[in-house]
Amino acid sequence: WDETHFGKMGSYYINRTFFFDVHPPLGKMLIGLAGYLSGYDGTFPFQKPGDRYEQHNYVGMRGVRLCRLLLSWLASLCLSIQMLELSKSLPAALLTAFILIFDTGCITLSQYILLDPILMFFLMGAVLSMVKCNSCADRPFSASWWFWLSLTGVSLAGAMGVKFVGLFVVLLVGLNTIYDLWDLLGNLSLSLVMFGKHLLARVLCLIILPLALYTAMFAVHFAVLNRSGPGDGFFSSAFQSQLIGNNLHNVSIPE
């Protein structure tokens, strides 16, 4: 059923048809983009689960499994790096990567048009970036420290932009950041000015940057979906007047 639902959302993006859904837009936009780049024309109706795709080119949408590749390879690499960073054990890292690559759940999820592999990729990216940033604690404000801190913020935005359950990794990173700042505050050799710089850097990369990217996703979402569709009724008449094909399109509506 979920593949039918998210496949239809991908078709809406390809056809630029406005819709309303409970999830943030990033994952569905990536599915639609994968379908568009692979030649899918957005004409399959996705009426009920199990319908045959026949001549429709559905492979690209399942192949955001390109997110499939990202999940199988990059996530495994990320987890290996995490294990190397956390346990300093190559056998543990290899075993963890092996378990993930051959996990039946991951293999099954990667075969369908679902948001979960995309979400897992961004979750993994956020944790990896956080761990790598922690490993750069002895050289703060270096290029690598800024890179991993910024990448943590980008990954947080990605996780939140796919599903709201991504807020759990925001909580994880937030608790880790609070611990780091508390530890820095207790360092008597660190001046308050330097502590302020640490605080400002984290506010910039872990709050402002993710919120800006999250907002930008919705800006793209509304810019792409400019045609009337099944989501019109959830919004105001003024908004509906901006949608091509709506009965109120370009109608002057007094405030």
Side-chain angles (χ1 to χ4, degrees), residues 89-112:
S89 171
L90 180 59
L94 293 175
L95 176 62
T96 305
F98 180 85
I99 291 172
L100 179 61
I101 290 172
F102 294 99
D103 179 74
T104 304
C106 288
I107 294 173
T108 303
L109 286 175
S110 68
Q111 293 178 350
Y112 298 100

Side-chain angles (χ1 to χ4, degrees), residues 10 13-14 28-38 64:
Y13 278 106
I14 293 173
K28 293 165 291 188
M29 285 196 291
L30 290 176
I31 290 173
L33 178 63
Y36 176 78
L37 293 177
S38 61
V64 112

